[in-house]
């Protein structure tokens, strides 16, 4: 609403008026900020520094980690904005055509119960799993072994999970939100 936008602009103006440097994760983030508060670009040095994501100690080879089944993986907090309900609904459509395909959604959050109910309603408890939060190493390994990584978010900035999936060598599919298309440009 315009009321909410006014207070955001006011908070940004007051909060940012005393700083020398503002760092944004993406060009999109910087452009949106400057579009909404043009005076910031004239008063503050704004730089874009993306999240780091590549772990140079890991040199994965696909042959090293072959599994005996194919699976799709997704990762993130189990919140509405991540669109995991959309992903589960979509998986329910393709599941009958690919009975050996699994869906693994990594992460934890307040939507767990709703997602579990949705999985139950499609009778997909053997095909879809929500293992919760796992270590960074296990997540990278899981992404690397996956047939596909899917980011089904309805809103994003610079999604670290998508960056990590790309770095792991996994084929990636993402909704066209935030900087997802920028990340996937030229990758797939």
């Amino acid at each position: 609403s315009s009321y909410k936008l006014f207070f955001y602009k006011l908070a940004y103006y007051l909060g940012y008026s005393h700083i020398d440097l503002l760092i944004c994760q993406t060009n999109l983030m910087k452009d949106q900020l400057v579009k909404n508060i043009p005076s910031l670009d004239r008063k503050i040095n704004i730089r874009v520094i993306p999240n780091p994501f590549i772990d140079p100690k890991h040199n994965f080879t696909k042959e090293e980690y072959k599994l005996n089944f194919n699976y799709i993986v997704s990762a993130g907090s189990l919140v509405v904005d991540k669109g995991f309900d959309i992903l589960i609904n979509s998986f329910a459509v393709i599941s009958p055509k690919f009975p050996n395909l699994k869906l693994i959604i990594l992460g934890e959050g307040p939507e767990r119960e709703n997602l579990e109910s949705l999985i139950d309603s499609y009778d997909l408890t053997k095909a879809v799993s929500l293992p919760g939060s796992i270590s960074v190493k296990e997540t990278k390994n899981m992404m690397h072994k996956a047939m596909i990584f899917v980011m089904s978010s309805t809103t994003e900035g610079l999604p670290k999970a998508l960056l990590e999936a790309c770095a792991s060598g996994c084929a990636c599919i993402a909704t066209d939100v935030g900087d997802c298309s920028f990340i996937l440009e030229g990758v797939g």
Side-chain angles (χ1 to χ4, degrees):
S1 74
S2 60
Y3 184 70
K4 187 176 178 181
L5 182 60
F6 169 77
F7 280 105
Y8 275 126
K9 286 183 179 182
L10 180 62
Y12 285 140
Y13 178 78
L14 294 173
Y16 292 152
S17 62
H18 301 290
I19 62 172
D20 298 317
L21 175 66
L22 176 64
I23 298 173
C24 296
Q25 285 182 304
T26 68
N27 283 318
L28 175 66
M29 187 184 291
K30 177 184 173 185
D31 294 344
Q32 288 174 337
L33 189 63
V34 170
K35 179 183 173 189
N36 287 308
I37 311 169
S39 62
L40 283 181
D41 200 28
R42 294 186 298 273
K43 295 179 179 181
I44 300 171
N45 185 8
I46 303 175
R47 295 280 184 234
V48 174
I49 302 175
N51 281 339
F53 66 94
I54 297 174
D55 184 349
K57 293 181 272 186
H58 288 81
N59 286 325
F60 293 116
T61 61
K62 281 284 188 186
E63 290 66 39
E64 237 181 311
Y65 296 105
K66 291 294 181 191
L67 294 180
N68 58 2
F69 62 90
N70 290 324
Y71 66 92
I72 296 169
V73 69
S74 193
S77 298
L78 302 184
V79 295
V80 173
D81 289 350
K82 295 300 179 183
F84 293 128
D85 58 329
I86 298 166
L87 180 56
I88 292 166
N89 288 329
S90 300
F91 187 80
V93 172
I94 67 165
S95 184
K97 295 175 185 161
F98 303 95
N100 294 325
L101 187 62
K102 308 291 182 200
L103 172 61
I104 301 169
I105 301 173
L106 306 173
E108 196 54 71
E111 282 296 299
R112 171 178 279 285
E113 193 173 301
N114 292 335
L115 296 173
E116 288 172 340
S117 294
L118 184 60
I119 293 164
D120 286 341
S121 74
Y122 285 118
D123 194 27
L124 290 173
T125 55
K126 292 183 180 174
V128 180
S129 66
L130 304 172
S133 296
I134 61 175
S135 73
V136 172
K137 184 178 179 180
E138 290 172 311
T139 300
K140 287 179 182 181
N141 193 24
M142 192 72 104
M143 288 177 175
H144 178 71
K145 294 184 217 178
M147 186 173 85
I148 300 170
F149 173 86
V150 177
M151 174 152 285
S152 54
S153 299
T154 57
T155 182
E156 277 294 346
L158 183 70
K160 190 174 178 185
L162 183 58
L163 291 168
E164 289 171 346
C166 288
S168 76
C170 185
C172 298
I173 298 172
T175 49
D176 191 12
V177 295
D179 275 340
C180 292
S181 60
F182 170 75
I183 293 168
L184 296 179
E185 195 174 286
V187 174

